[in-house]
Amino acid sequence: GEVYPQSTAAMKFIARLGGESSLFPQDPKQQYEVEKMIGLCQDFEVHWRPCFFATIQPQSFGHPQDFAKTTEGKAAIKDMRERFAEQRAMTSKLYCLQQAYTGFALNMEFS
């Protein structure tokens, strides 16, 4: 079969399958809301990536390979993740939940 390597593009493709019964809304305003949510999730991922990769690829951030195993590395990674949680995670999660409950996320209405 055909391979769809870019995850966001593949999700959008799948969501648009099915015409009128697709997961992607037909209305341009609702399409904008879905695209906004996708963008927010991508923004979230960009900010989370250093917190994740500092553990498995610390050399990508100028640290030695074993950085995550050292006392200093563990403390730095913990601090980075805690600051991320305080600054980004709660704001983003609350926004995502608020937007999802409007019904745009899956082209559904909640009562």
Side-chain angles (χ1 to χ4, degrees):
E2 199 167 341
V3 177
Y4 298 92
Q6 209 288 331
S7 57
T8 302
M11 287 187 296
K12 289 179 180 182
F13 173 74
I14 291 167
R16 287 182 171 102
L17 293 176
E20 291 294 319
S21 63
S22 75
L23 294 173
F24 201 79
Q26 302 296 313
D27 177 64
K29 171 80 168 118
Q30 289 182 340
Q31 288 176 359
Y32 165 78
E33 295 296 332
V34 170
E35 294 288 349
K36 183 172 68 173
M37 290 301 298
I38 291 169
L40 183 64
C41 292
Q42 290 171 330
D43 291 347
F44 183 87
E45 179 187 358
V46 165
H47 292 286
W48 169 249
R49 192 171 290 144
C51 298
F52 176 73
F53 282 105
T55 301
I56 62 172
Q57 294 178 341
Q59 66 278 16
S60 298
F61 299 96
H63 300 292
Q65 178 67 36
D66 66 342
F67 181 70
K69 297 176 184 173
T70 67
T71 302
E72 176 191 4
K74 289 177 184 178
I77 291 168
K78 181 177 186 275
D79 180 61
M80 184 186 326
R81 291 179 176 180
E82 287 174 350
R83 281 187 289 123
F84 172 84
E86 290 170 9
Q87 297 170 2
R88 300 266 183 206
M90 290 311 296
T91 301
S92 296
K93 285 179 187 178
L94 291 173
Y95 182 81
C96 287
L97 286 173
Q98 174 193 12
Q99 294 299 308
Y101 282 111
T102 65
F104 290 121
L106 293 176
N107 194 21
M108 298 169 59
E109 291 185 21
F110 295 94
S111 54

